[in-house]
Amino acid sequence: MKCLSFALCTAVIFCLAAGPAAARTRTYYVAAQEVQWNYAPGGINKITGAPIQKIPIDFLGWTYTKATYMPYADRGFTKRIAKPSYFGILGPVIRAEVGDTIVVYFKNETRFPQSIHAHGVFYDKASEGAPYRDGVSADAKGGDSVAPGATFRYVWRVPARAGPDRMDESSVLWMYHSHVDEVADISAGLVGPMIITRKGMARPDGSPKDVDREVFTMFALNDENQSVYMPENLKRSKSAAQIPDAERFNPFGAFYPTNEIPSINFFVYGTMPMPEMKVGQHVRWYLMADASDAFDIHVIHWHGNDASSNGMRTDAVQVLPMGMAIADMVPDNPGIWLFHCHVNFHLVGGMIARYRVTR
Ligand SMILES: [Cu+2]
């Protein structure tokens, strides 16, 4: 009996000493910047090999003035951190483990007021990133609208309710985005992923220990008509600039649909660089849908391999506007495989990419 008590005490002391990693503050530096973004770099459909054409009529081409969240390594915003090439203009991954605190220094380098509004985590009014009448004075809500050239420090706590629940795997996907003029800001491109990992399950960088490879994708019928930069983009095309306003905003007219671009990470027709993975790896796909309009419903489908999502085996995951889903894949089938939306007009319009599995 004495021996058992001793063993028990030793085990408890060992557990207390080893314990879960101490909560930490994870600091990020993110700037909003304007970019000239080409949805079809190279101009060749990588799925068919043919030149990419805009259907039905080309008014503005494939390049638009947009905005992106760009990560930096320092508070002076001098050392830019490279994002994976397949991210396009998707914002950087912000990570934390349950119990941590996230601090984001946000610098607005665009010409319009912008913000960061985070889903899922705990914030006070200063760090909500969305202006509206809530009975709180503007002085106490500095993050709601960050002026051009200004910097704001967002603080988000990561309580248990921001992390995995019973049906979740070891990490949860949230989004963050600008919310000053929500529709115009997101349509401009200011959106990105945030990953919260279960307590005790995070590597030092915050990624889940039980996952070998993470892939992040945003499916968007990106509505450039609603972008804060549309007036500027319009000036590029004489024929587009001459279209009367009433006709320009007619969703069933000749012009409007040509600026709704079915893309994955802001790429069309296979021009997204291929995410790479190996046979047997535990791959976690984070799947997001944009909020551009009511047609942002997507059926995300993989060829070649299947996945487990929400505890069910599938090769097609559905997401609604601003929906977030996770699918875990252990590829057993090497090769280059299609990865596309199964909504027909999205697929035909360019919402298609590839991924590569190697041995
Ligand atoms: Cu779709």
Side-chain angles (χ1 to χ4, degrees), residues 297-298 341 343 346 351:
I297 54 175
H298 308 291
C341 180
V343 175
H346 293 173
M351 197 174 277

Side-chain angles (χ1 to χ4, degrees), residues 42-259:
I44 298 295
N45 183 327
K46 293 274 184 72
I47 309 299
T48 64
I52 294 174
Q53 291 182 324
K54 224 172 190 185
I55 301 170
I57 303 166
D58 188 349
F59 283 107
L60 294 176
W62 291 103
T63 300
Y64 293 79
T65 300
K66 296 185 70 63
T68 183
Y69 289 121
M70 191 64 73
Y72 282 81
D74 62 311
R75 199 169 161 180
F77 291 89
T78 59
K79 295 178 199 128
R80 184 183 282 191
I81 298 173
K83 290 185 273 190
S85 59
Y86 80 90
F87 266 48
I89 58 169
L90 190 64
V93 183
I94 292 177
R95 295 182 186 276
E97 183 178 10
V98 168
D100 291 347
T101 299
I102 299 169
V103 173
V104 178
Y105 287 88
F106 171 60
K107 185 176 184 188
N108 181 7
E109 296 182 354
T110 76
R111 287 168 285 166
F112 296 91
Q114 306 288 4
S115 72
I116 307 183
H117 167 68
H119 288 220
V121 287
F122 184 100
Y123 42 75
D124 62 17
K125 281 292 178 185
S127 291
E128 182 181 3
Y132 59 97
R133 294 182 66 199
D134 54 5
V136 178
S137 74
D139 295 351
K141 301 196 302 171
D144 283 1
S145 178
V146 180
T151 301
F152 186 80
R153 179 176 176 268
Y154 291 95
V155 179
W156 305 325
R157 293 202 341 251
V158 187
R161 57 96 155 157
D165 204 347
R166 286 169 298 137
M167 298 273 281
D168 285 302
E169 301 291 344
S170 53
S171 57
V172 170
L173 167 66
W174 302 104
M175 277 195 250
Y176 64 88
H177 56 87
S178 181
H179 202 314
V180 179
D181 182 341
E182 183 174 21
V183 173
D185 299 352
I186 295 177
S187 297
L190 289 172
V191 59
M194 180 166 64
I195 303 301
I196 304 299
T197 300
R198 177 173 282 133
K199 193 158 187 64
M201 285 297 290
R203 297 189 182 96
D205 71 355
S207 64
K209 285 176 187 170
D210 60 338
V211 173
D212 302 312
R213 177 89 176 89
E214 292 169 290
V215 182
F216 300 85
T217 56
M218 159 74 73
F219 282 67
L221 185 61
N222 213 92
D223 194 343
E224 294 290 347
N225 301 288
Q226 304 291 341
S227 165
V228 69
Y229 296 103
M230 191 51 175
E232 181 169 321
N233 288 320
L234 256 185
K235 291 178 195 159
R236 289 194 184 143
S237 161
K238 264 191 182 162
S239 56
Q242 286 166 358
I243 299 170
D245 274 3
E247 176 56 16
R248 243 186 344 104
F249 288 102
N250 173 8
F252 305 105
F255 177 73
Y256 197 104
T258 66
N259 303 299

Side-chain angles (χ1 to χ4, degrees), residues 219-221 262-263 295-300 319 340-347 351:
F219 282 67
L221 185 61
S263 60
F295 301 111
D296 256 307
I297 54 175
H298 308 291
V299 181
I300 297 168
V319 281
H340 66 85
C341 180
H342 241 307
V343 175
N344 284 350
F345 85 95
H346 293 173
L347 172 59
M351 197 174 277

